[in-house]
Amino acid sequence: MKRSGDTAFDPIDFLETAVQYPSHEDVASMRTFLCETLEANGVEPRVDDGGNVVATRGPSDAETHVLLNTHIDTVSPHVPFERDADAPEANGDEVIRGRGSCDAKGPLAALLAAFFAVEPTDGRVTLAITPDEEVLSTGAYELVTGDDAPTRDADAVIVGEPTDLDVCTAAKGRFQGTIHLTGANAHAAEPHTGVNAVAALESVLSAIRTFDERADAPPAHPQLGAATLTPTVVEGGEATNQVPADCALTVDRRSVPPETAEAFHAALTDQLEAAVSADVGVEFRFTDRPTPFLEAWDTDPDAEIVETLASASGGDVRPFTAATEASYFAADAPTVVFGPGVLADDDGAVAHAPREYVRVEAVWQAATALEETVRSFVE
């Protein structure tokens, strides 16, 4: 890891270039740059069927295996690169601005520094970088289901995201679906001759408000708190003088362990069928997507990877406040989310915002903590 004059990998040099690659619509150029960086540092990468960049160091038969993961895609629009030594957010340091600087090319730079710095002898370390975390997570799904899924024998997984150098051991899941109500059209002057699907929303909204008060509802999680269920979009009716026969209400579920998507679907369906009158048809359907929703996950705060990384970084142990692909990996191995940068600061949003930035010193600190942690597992 270069910091003063040698020729080893410099995460800041990498990050400055990486932020200048637009990867909000197409990650091809950024993926090529990542592969070229790996090759230049003596590591042969491969791109799997899910578009992931995968590279491994250490003996293939090693008993201990650490997986390092983050993503190279970003949200729209692309924000130009800038290096600023006078930014108020810098705290006397420099910041790198631009889309992806903290979410998640800054964490990627730190992960790469650790990946190159260790010399695995007693273990193996795999770098697995996904292409579409911000959209459908098809890459991450390939990492856990593909023929050569590297997560199957992992002993620990570190997912790079902006956590301000804290070690995050849990996150809520996110499910989305639509409640479809079906009635019967009629003239609004004779409403009793039809079945008003919009009016049935009154019972549906009441069922939503009381959903987590039912006897079999999951209790509040010790780290994440209570699950939430929020109505977000409603559509219904076709004419102002007609009893509406159809209505649709989209809901957002932020789940906590141990609730699964399947269990939530079943419980909400039961709640709705009990709440709505028999003359109204009711059905809840998840939004179509080719990959599973990101479910809630948690890792034991006393797990070795948690204690080792927290000791190395000096950060707190806490939950992560956004959904991540860690959801897919946590079923296979103790998983943590960690990296430089913040989702938001005192002035507002940072990640996904036009002012997105990461402190240069934070990238170095993350790289050092990751190197120390990975080394303790594989050397």
Side-chain angles (χ1 to χ4, degrees):
M1 188 186 303
K2 181 174 75 173
R3 189 134 194 187
S4 58
D6 61 37
T7 59
F9 176 77
D10 186 326
I12 307 305
D13 286 349
F14 171 85
L15 178 57
E16 285 189 347
T17 303
V19 170
Q20 296 180 61
Y21 281 102
S23 48
H24 57 300
E25 295 177 343
D26 186 347
V27 301
S29 60
M30 178 61 206
R31 182 162 48 208
T32 297
F33 172 58
L34 174 58
C35 289
E36 290 173 348
T37 299
L38 288 162
E39 291 167 353
N41 285 270
V43 180
E44 188 65 34
R46 65 180 177 90
V47 177
D48 69 13
D49 292 341
N52 303 298
V53 176
V54 181
T56 301
R57 299 188 66 211
S60 60
D61 59 350
E63 292 187 4
T64 303
H65 181 202
V66 176
L67 180 73
L68 307 178
N69 161 265
T70 190
H71 59 96
I72 53 175
D73 62 313
T74 60
V75 297
S76 294
H78 182 65
V79 176
F81 159 77
E82 178 186 10
R83 187 161 178 171
D84 189 351
D86 300 315
E89 305 97 338
N91 297 324
D93 183 27
E94 292 183 289
V95 302
I96 291 177
R97 296 189 185 278
R99 180 66 79 227
S101 55
C102 78
D103 188 12
K105 294 175 183 178
L108 171 60
L111 289 169
L112 280 169
F115 181 71
F116 293 136
V118 298
E119 295 293 341
T121 54
D122 297 328
R124 171 167 110 260
V125 57
T126 295
L127 185 77
I129 308 302
T130 62
D132 65 338
E133 188 264 0
E134 302 289 2
V135 188
L136 293 172
S137 297
T138 55
Y141 190 54
E142 175 71 19
L143 289 178
V144 298
T145 61
D147 293 339
D148 299 320
T151 59
R152 291 196 184 122
D153 65 348
D155 297 287
V157 179
I158 302 174
V159 176
E161 292 283 354
T163 70
D164 201 20
L165 305 181
D166 291 338
V167 180
C168 297
T169 57
K172 288 185 176 181
R174 181 181 183 270
F175 312 139
Q176 177 182 304
T178 301
I179 300 164
H180 297 269
L181 300 170
T182 306
N185 288 134
H187 198 293
E190 299 286 341
H192 61 282
T193 62
V195 178
N196 194 318
V198 170
L201 273 178
E202 182 177 4
S203 298
V204 168
L205 291 171
S206 177
I208 288 173
R209 284 192 297 271
T210 60
F211 180 66
D212 287 308
E213 298 173 8
R214 68 192 195 282
D216 61 344
H221 188 271
Q223 293 177 273
L224 298 169
T228 60
L229 180 60
T230 306
T232 56
V233 178
V234 63
E235 299 178 6
E238 296 180 354
T240 58
N241 60 351
Q242 182 185 56
V243 172
D246 298 287
C247 184
L249 176 68
T250 299
V251 294
D252 177 287
R253 177 63 165 177
R254 302 296 165 131
S255 63
V256 300
E259 184 179 71
T260 63
E262 182 180 1
F264 166 66
H265 187 285
L268 181 58
T269 298
D270 288 345
Q271 185 94 343
L272 293 170
E273 289 178 346
V276 175
S277 63
D279 57 350
V280 176
V282 58
E283 181 184 16
F284 174 62
R285 298 197 295 266
F286 279 131
T287 302
D288 287 338
R289 54 179 286 155
T291 54
F293 285 98
L294 299 176
E295 299 200 3
W297 63 275
D298 59 358
T299 290
D300 185 348
D302 294 327
E304 182 182 2
I305 186 62
V306 179
E307 294 183 343
T308 303
L309 186 52
S311 175
S313 71
D316 293 334
V317 176
R318 62 170 175 87
F320 193 57
T321 56
T324 81
E325 291 176 337
S327 169
Y328 285 179
F329 310 136
D332 290 332
T335 299
V336 296
V337 178
F338 173 82
V342 293
L343 293 174
D345 62 15
D346 292 341
D347 294 323
V350 176
H352 294 194
R355 59 188 289 263
E356 184 169 345
Y357 71 89
V358 67
R359 291 190 305 110
V360 167
E361 183 60 26
V363 176
W364 280 115
Q365 290 172 334
T368 300
L370 287 163
E371 178 185 347
E372 179 179 331
T373 300
V374 175
R375 176 168 283 121
S376 74
F377 276 81
V378 303
E379 288 189 0

